Amino acid sequence: MDKKNALRAGAVTAGTTLMMLLMTSPALALTRDDGDDPAPPLSIAETLGLFVATPIVLFLVIAGLVMVGDKSRKQQPTD
């Protein structure tokens, strides 16, 4: 009896998957939408600067400001 249920579940799953694949339309990624205005492509240097260098510099600036703020709050030793 378990084999019948497993076979039935497999058939339903396969049928559902096949129907979904057959009924879906293509993504139409090459078709422009209304208001779509792509920018000119970035060079490799611009891409690395924008997505690698800028976050690293921002992290270092924020970390430096936190360190400066932390050092200024330390109490001076009383003699």
Side-chain angles (χ1 to χ4, degrees):
M1 197 68 164
D2 279 339
K3 287 186 177 184
K4 279 187 178 181
N5 286 339
L7 187 61
R8 184 179 297 145
V12 168
T13 303
T16 304
T17 304
L18 183 62
M19 289 303 293
M20 287 176 61
L21 287 173
L22 290 175
M23 295 183 73
T24 55
S25 62
L28 300 174
L30 297 177
T31 304
R32 297 272 183 226
D33 291 332
D34 291 337
D36 189 14
D37 189 19
L42 297 175
S43 69
I44 293 175
E46 290 172 331
T47 303
L48 289 175
L50 185 63
F51 294 108
V52 176
T54 303
I56 290 173
V57 169
L58 285 174
F59 172 79
L60 292 175
V61 167
I62 292 169
L65 290 173
V66 168
M67 289 173 59
V68 167
D70 186 44
K71 287 182 181 179
S72 66
R73 287 192 195 161
K74 288 186 180 178
Q75 294 179 352
Q76 300 295 332
T78 56
D79 292 323

